[in-house]
Each structure stands twice: as structure tokens, then as C-alpha cells.
Amino acid sequence: MILFAPTPDLISLFKELEENEQIHTHLMKILLTGATGYIGKRLLPALVADGHEVLCCVRDKTRFNPPVALHPSITVLELDLLDPESLRIIPSDIDIAYYLVHSMSSSSDYMTLERQSAQNIREVLKRTKVKQVIYLSGIINDESLSEHLASRKAVEDELGKGTFHLTTFRAGIIIGSGSASFEIIRDLVEKLPVMVAPKWLKTKCQPISVSDVVNYLNKAILNEKTYDHSFDIGGPDILSYREMLMGFASNRRLKRLIINVPIMTPRISSYWLYFITSTSYKLASALVDSMKVEVICRKSNINEILDIEPLTYKESLNRTMAAIDANNIVSSWKDSLISGRFESNISQFLNVPTYGCFIDHRELQMKDEKATVSRIWTIGGENGWYFANSLWRIRGFIDKLMGGVGLRRGRTSPNKINSGDSIDFWRVLYADKKEGRLLLFAEMKLPGEAWLEFKIENSVLKQTATFRPRGLSGRLYWYLLLPVHNIIFQGMINRIAL
């Protein structure tokens, strides 16, 4: 029995509801570039939670350590966007692709590298069934773009030449645990009661929570209203950098005084950030260059399209500090290779050399293996190196003076270590807690290369420091510090194997 005849408007409504339902229930095969990056690590769990199959593109599989719960839904593709041949492993049946790759500060010629990467992925995607590419860029609504933002725009232009629909989201300052911008704000406020700051602190910007960024990226999937458009995304607050610093100080209940000095050049400003915060000089320089330009969102209806109400700056800070207090930092810019000296895959350094090397090897019977493993896995950061920490800090300060990373990077998690993580001025090459082996590679400025390994075998802790010198200066360095190394390395193994 037919109770009523559907009207054209009702039929249209049913079709719209059906299409929306298909958008949200259809499981996609998604290509995720930048899977080991700050945003990629946070977007991946959201995509898997929605039931999608995710192809994670990484340059080095040894650096990709997703939670075990995600493994059934992901496939790892090891490739290099600058190597077209390596991109042939990308399958043709992908539905969506995310472009979250950024080379800022990894090279002096990063603009050329970014453009080439975008061209390569665009050409590969032409032979796939991809319907939409979603790209995260930076806000570029200023006639005088910094080199950093000009590079982002060039990437957008290259991707826009593809045969797919491009959706671009442009964000400014991202607030979240582990983000470079947030960590700089945190370092400045918590370390300096009085700040002598450059005039760019008066520049306006529109910060956004990292959780909102992930929300925009996720909700845009196959939303036709976002096709072939770019959208500026930001929170509801328009603030100067000074107001952001004072807002963080208020959140932490700290009294701070900021004195603006108009004579600070970009170079001096970059060195100021480099020495006070945990950032590298190249990243500090790129950020200072960008901070001279206002990054305020153009008006759009993207919040209505995706039904998103972004968090305020205060709400973003509260959420971020709660994550930090709970030791729930999903990703950090410090674990990116651009935070240190690496320009290649860490797997190339896994085999510790012996020929032509100086080796300090020590063994000690452990009293409590479980406690020893725990101490190894919490080394560095706030815990320090268990012996002669003042000497470690001096070495870190000297490294900063020489243009190195110093000790300020700390560690992302207080008790978890994965391959690729940074621990002070070391990079984790290998970490297996069950095996009881941790291998570190030095990223401090050295006349050579250095490894530090902890390994447990038959209730014995084996600690090995290996140094491969470079020329005469490397050999002089080792012999000059030999007495200090003897004291530090013996004291360290004694404390770890207690």
C-alpha cells in the first residue's frame, strides 16, 4: 500500500542524504605522504578509526613506528618523492591522497626540492584513480611572501596542474604538543622572565589547534564543496606574537616582561631564537622570515561546509598542556630529521663500523635487569645521563656555540623510544626493549661520527662508544677527551647497571 507520493523535493533530499551517507561510510584507500611527520602521525589514527585503508609513504621504514593497533589497516611504502622510479610502487586504485610533505630547513635549496617533489607525485597520480588530493599549506595572503611561504605556494601551483581535484588548507601557527611553533613559545616564556624581543612580535597571526587541523583534513574527504579550492584555516582569535607569549605566560601563571627592540635584524633574531629555544638555526631563520608577514585567514565558509568550530587560543593551550602533563605527545617536530644533522636514511648508520675507529667498551653484571632496562629507556631529557650531568650540559652548550643541536631537544616521551626519535643531541637508530638494545648516533658537531650502544646479554650490560675520526682533528679530539670519557662512561654504566 502506498501511503503517500514522494514529492520532487523529498526525492532530492533522500538522494542528498544517501550521497552523504556514502561519503561517510565508503571505505577509502588513502595515500598518506609525510606519514612520519608531525601532522601525518596525528592524521593516521583518525583515518584508521574511520575504517579507511591507509598507504603510508615513508623514506625510511626504520623510522616508522605506528601503534600496533593500526597495523591491520596500513601498508608501508618506502619511497622518495625526489626519485620518480621509487614512486612506481604506488598502486593505481587509490581514492584519496594527502600531501603533507615539507622540506623547510632541510636544505639551502629546499624551494627547488619541494617543487620537484610536487611535480613527481603529480605525474604519478595521473595513472591512478585518485579523485582528490588534500594539501596542507601555509597562509599566504600577502603580496610579499617569505621564501618559506613562497615555496608552499609553488607546491600548491604544481599540484593544481594535476588531473585530480585539489583541496588546499592553509594554516598559520599550529598549537599542539610537539609543534615547532608551540615549543618555541614554551621555551621563551618558561626560560626568560624578561624578554628583549624584535619588532616582529607585533605581527598579527591566527593560531589554530593541531586537533582542528586534523579535523579539517579528515572531514574534507570527497566533499565536493572543497574541490579545487583553497581555504585559510585558523582559530577565532587574531593575536600578535607578543599576545601569544603573554597568553601562554598567563596559562602557566608566570609573570613576564617583554621589551621590544626595533634594531634587531632577522639574523640576530634567528640567533636569538636558536640559542634560547630548542630549534635549529635553519628552522629559526625560516620562521623569523615568515614572522615578519601577517598570517590572518581570508574569510570563507569552510567552517560551515565541514561543520567545525575551531578552538580558541586559550582552549588550544589548555588541551596542549593537558597532553603534555599526561605524557601523551603523539608527535614532535624534534623527531623530524630536519631538527638535526641527518640528510639520509638512518638505516645507513645501523651497522656500527670498527675499522679505523676508536672504541670504548665496558661490561658490568646487572643487579636488576628490569630496572636496568627501565633506566636505559628513560635516559636523556629531564633524567639526564645518570652521571656527570653538568659535563653533559657543558658539552651541549659548546655544541650550540658551534652551531649544533645542543641538549635542548630533550625527548618526546619520558619512557618510550622509537627508531628515529631524538634524545638530546643523539638520534635513535635502533630501539628494541625486549631485546634490550638501544643504538644512538651523535648529532652534535664532531670531527667525525659517533655511536653509543647499550646491549643486554646474559644479565650483563654492554656499553659501547664508537668514534670514527675524520682526519687529524678527529684523532686529536678523541685523545684530548680520553680522560673525560673514561670518567663519564665508567660512571654512566655504574649508575645504569645498579
Side-chain angles (χ1 to χ4, degrees), residues 360 362 391 477-490:
D360 181 293
R362 300 169 193 267
L391 295 180
Y477 172 85
W478 177 264
Y479 286 118
L480 285 173
L481 290 181
L482 190 58
V484 178
H485 284 164
N486 283 332
I487 296 171
I488 290 178
F489 291 142
Q490 187 60 51

Side-chain angles (χ1 to χ4, degrees), residues 12-75:
S12 177
L13 177 61
F14 285 153
K15 286 183 177 180
E16 183 177 346
L17 289 173
E18 185 179 2
E19 288 173 359
N20 288 337
E21 186 67 20
Q22 288 176 350
I23 287 175
H24 292 291
T25 59
H26 178 54
L27 304 185
M28 308 287 173
K29 179 175 282 190
I30 298 177
L31 188 75
L32 177 62
T33 65
T36 59
Y38 180 71
I39 298 296
K41 283 183 178 179
R42 295 175 183 247
L43 177 61
L44 176 58
L47 296 176
V48 171
D50 286 344
H52 302 305
E53 178 186 352
V54 185
L55 309 179
C56 300
C57 300
V58 301
R59 283 184 60 190
D60 188 353
K61 287 184 178 181
T62 61
R63 289 189 58 231
F64 187 55
N65 303 282
V68 176
L70 302 183
H71 289 188
S73 301
I74 65 177
T75 301

Side-chain angles (χ1 to χ4, degrees), residues 70-117:
L70 302 183
H71 289 188
S73 301
I74 65 177
T75 301
V76 183
L77 304 179
E78 190 173 52
L79 50 81
D80 184 348
L81 292 178
L82 290 172
D83 179 11
E85 286 299 314
S86 72
L87 304 184
R88 292 181 179 274
I89 63 174
I90 295 176
S92 62
D93 60 341
I94 56 175
D95 301 299
I96 302 291
Y98 282 96
Y99 195 80
L100 305 179
V101 178
H102 189 36
S103 306
M104 183 176 69
S105 83
S106 64
S107 167
S108 58
D109 195 25
Y110 69 84
M111 287 188 69
T112 301
L113 298 180
E114 288 206 320
R115 185 187 291 272
Q116 187 62 54
S117 294

